[in-house]
Amino acid sequence: MIKIIRIALISMCCALLMMPFQVFAHTHHQETPIPKAKPYVQTGEKSTLQKLIDATEPGGTLLLEGRTYRGTVIISKPITIKGSKDTKIASLDSAITISNTNNVVIEDLMIQAENIAIIGEEVDSLLLKNIQVEQRKAGIQLTNSSGITLENVDIIGEEGHFSTKGHAIAIYKSKGVQAADCDIWRVMDGFYLEQVDNITLKNNSIKEGRYAVHLMYSDNVEITTNKLESNMTGLMIMVANNVSIYENQITKNNTLNSLGVYLYDDEDVDFHENVLSENTVAMSIENTRNMEVSNNEFSTNGTAIQAKKSETLQLVDNQFFGNILTMRTDRKGVQLHHNFYDDYAGKDYDGDGIGDTKYIATNSFGQWMVRKPVYQYFIESPSVVILNLMDTEVTDGDTAIQIDESPVVMKKNTSQDISINAWQLGCSLVVLMAILFARRKLR
């Protein structure tokens, strides 16, 4: 009996010991499976910019950290990429390639690329804003695109001659280009635009390149309030229609064969209220049709205007002063009217502000002096004075001599408004009294 009881107790203990394992096994088998986490991209040092772009949904915004992202990225969907302070993309090839997409925004980045910083092809609606590029081969290159906006894009090239460099911003076969507040330095061409329709360049600064703006085979162009300084040529515009150029500063383009502005085979050009100074040749105009140059300031240039095959060219209400030669032309003729010339020797006896005698804008010695600058040392010699007098007397029938029949006699206001407020006056008196008092003490 005792043996039977002992066996029963052992069986009960074994059953009790097995119950937790059965409960655990049953519970684990019945519980709901844990769902898998959605894919995500870590934003730490091990992540790449391409992974971040790929993980951003079309139309989304990607915010980048203030660090350096290395490598080349490709964008083929609508996306906004915003950097922060110290966000940089560095690549041993091209940095960013954008293709076959629309509505792309890239802003607040610094880019270092051994090849091209940004390449875009077949992009509709592209905004590049607050971008800094340290250019090696080239800056930005866009093709077959539309709705391009560049705001505050700064591009700086390496030291050296421009012939060893690429363009800062090159755009081909596109339409709708706006560029504003860009600062470009030490490149081949600041803007190279070919077969582009509807262009606006505003408030840009371009210096120390070949051509600040190089524009070919393009229509509907507006170039305004730019500063183009110390380039081989400021504006190079060829085979363009409907061009408006106004309120620009085109200065110090004065190396050998430099031009402030070169216009070739253009039609319907309005050039007004610009300042052109210290250029070897301020404007060279060839084979243009329907062009008006008005209300501009030409100062201290070697030659202010040289024109060929541009008989419809009109120069109205401009100011010429301090230039070696006002004008050189062929026999097609240029129309001069109501301009001011600082070397005009005529009088205004009736006081209407218009000279009573005509102004002759070309002379023989000036032509030679442009070709041989050393001749300027003879500018007031007796022989040159006689030659200039002969030029003014022998003008009848010579269509190569350009004449303004109504030159402006301008009394330039050189007086300056000098004002001082009471606080400035009081401080000046106190300082003066302190100096006088100190001098007395030292005696």
Side-chain angles (χ1 to χ4, degrees):
M1 185 67 180
I2 295 174
K3 185 176 181 181
I4 295 172
I5 294 172
R6 185 178 294 171
I7 293 172
L9 290 173
I10 292 172
S11 299
M12 290 178 62
C13 290
C14 291
L16 290 172
L17 290 171
M18 292 297 295
M19 285 181 64
F21 294 99
Q22 293 175 353
V23 172
F24 173 78
H26 177 75
T27 304
H28 178 72
H29 178 72
Q30 295 295 329
E31 71 179 354
T32 304
I34 299 174
K36 294 182 179 180
K38 294 182 178 180
Y40 69 98
V41 177
Q42 185 71 27
T43 59
E45 286 297 327
K46 293 183 179 180
S47 68
T48 65
L49 180 54
Q50 187 65 63
K51 291 181 180 178
L52 292 170
I53 292 171
D54 294 342
T56 303
E57 295 182 355
T61 298
L62 173 59
L63 301 178
L64 300 181
E65 300 171 356
R67 65 180 182 87
T68 298
Y69 297 83
R70 301 189 181 279
T72 300
V73 299
I74 298 174
I75 299 172
S76 57
K77 61 184 175 182
I79 190 173
T80 296
I81 300 176
K82 291 186 177 183
S84 56
K85 186 178 180 181
D86 299 326
T87 300
K88 181 187 294 185
I89 299 176
S91 175
L92 295 176
D93 194 4
S94 296
I96 301 174
T97 297
I98 311 166
S99 63
N100 298 296
T101 186
N102 58 7
N103 297 319
V104 175
V105 177
I106 302 175
E107 56 183 313
D108 301 322
L109 294 178
M110 177 181 288
I111 301 175
Q112 294 176 325
E114 293 300 321
N115 195 1
I116 303 175
I118 299 176
I119 300 174
E121 185 172 1
E122 296 186 4
V123 183
D124 181 18
S125 184
L126 170 65
L127 170 61
L128 303 177
K129 183 177 180 180
N130 300 331
I131 305 293
Q132 298 181 33
V133 176
E134 294 183 9
Q135 177 172 314
R136 299 293 189 270
K137 182 178 179 181
I140 298 170
Q141 181 175 301
L142 306 172
T143 308
N144 293 322
S145 298
S146 62
I148 301 166
T149 302
L150 310 173
E151 294 183 11
N152 195 26
V153 175
D154 298 342
I155 301 177
I156 180 172
E158 297 179 315
E159 294 185 1
H161 195 265
F162 57 73
S163 62
T164 63
K165 306 172 185 178
H167 306 312
I169 299 170
I171 303 176
Y172 306 88
K173 298 179 181 179
S174 300
K175 61 182 180 180
V177 175
Q178 298 184 37
D181 302 308
C182 299
D183 194 349
I184 300 172
W185 184 29
R186 296 195 311 217
V187 297
M188 173 74 84
D189 294 348
F191 289 92
Y192 180 87
L193 305 168
E194 184 176 333
Q195 297 185 45
V196 179
D197 183 29
N198 192 10
I199 303 166
T200 301
L201 306 179
K202 184 177 182 180
N203 292 339
N204 302 292
S205 176
I206 309 169
K207 58 183 179 180
E208 297 185 21
R210 183 182 68 166
Y211 306 145
V213 177
H214 190 182
L215 190 149
M216 301 176 65
Y217 309 109
S218 299
D219 300 326
N220 305 312
V221 180
E222 182 177 301
I223 302 174
T224 175
T225 59
N226 300 282
K227 186 175 182 180
L228 315 176
E229 179 181 337
S230 300
N231 303 281
M232 181 176 175
T233 295
L235 296 177
M236 172 73 72
I237 301 178
M238 306 172 69
V239 196
N241 296 317
N242 191 22
V243 180
S244 181
I245 304 170
Y246 60 95
E247 297 181 6
N248 301 281
Q249 296 184 39
I250 306 170
T251 63
K252 299 181 181 179
N253 305 289
N254 52 24
T255 59
L256 183 64
N257 299 322
S258 282
L259 304 169
V261 178
Y262 179 64
L263 298 165
Y264 176 79
D265 198 11
D266 301 314
E267 188 168 1
D268 296 329
V269 181
D270 189 5
F271 189 93
H272 63 275
E273 298 183 21
N274 301 282
V275 174
L276 299 95
S277 65
E278 299 182 60
N279 303 288
T280 303
V281 175
M283 291 188 72
S284 181
I285 304 166
E286 187 172 352
N287 196 30
T288 64
R289 298 165 299 281
N290 301 325
M291 179 175 181
E292 181 175 282
V293 178
S294 62
N295 295 289
N296 302 283
E297 178 183 303
F298 296 86
S299 64
T300 61
N301 302 286
T303 299
I305 303 285
Q306 65 180 26
K308 299 179 182 179
K309 300 179 182 179
S310 301
E311 59 268 24
T312 59
L313 173 62
Q314 299 185 55
L315 281 80
V316 183
D317 293 321
N318 301 284
Q319 298 184 41
F320 296 89
F321 52 91
N323 306 292
I324 295 176
L325 183 63
T326 301
M327 181 169 292
R328 295 168 54 191
T329 69
D330 59 7
R331 294 184 179 273
K332 290 292 184 179
V334 173
Q335 302 172 37
L336 299 175
H337 178 69
H338 207 259
N339 301 286
F340 168 77
Y341 311 92
D342 65 338
D343 58 345
Y344 175 62
K347 303 297 181 181
D348 177 23
Y349 294 107
D350 56 6
D352 62 353
I354 305 299
D356 295 333
T357 56
K358 59 192 174 185
Y359 174 79
I360 300 175
T362 56
N363 61 68
S364 302
F365 181 72
Q367 304 275 22
W368 283 107
M369 188 165 53
V370 170
R371 295 181 177 89
K372 300 285 187 180
V374 70
Y375 287 2
Q376 63 185 298
Y377 296 113
F378 304 100
I379 193 168
E380 290 298 330
S381 66
S383 58
V384 171
V385 172
I386 293 173
L387 179 61
N388 290 337
L389 289 173
M390 292 174 62
D391 282 339
T392 61
E393 295 298 327
V394 184
T395 61
D396 294 339
D398 192 346
T399 58
I401 296 178
Q402 304 306 311
I403 298 174
D404 191 334
E405 298 285 355
S406 54
V408 174
V409 179
M410 183 182 299
K411 295 180 180 179
K412 298 182 69 66
N413 184 11
T414 57
S415 63
Q416 298 180 350
D417 293 331
I418 301 176
S419 61
I420 185 169
N421 58 37
W423 183 84
Q424 292 173 319
L425 180 60
C427 289
S428 300
L429 291 175
V430 169
V431 171
L432 180 61
M433 293 176 64
I435 294 172
L436 293 174
F437 181 77
R439 289 184 63 184
R440 288 183 179 180
K441 286 291 185 181
L442 291 175
R443 289 179 179 177

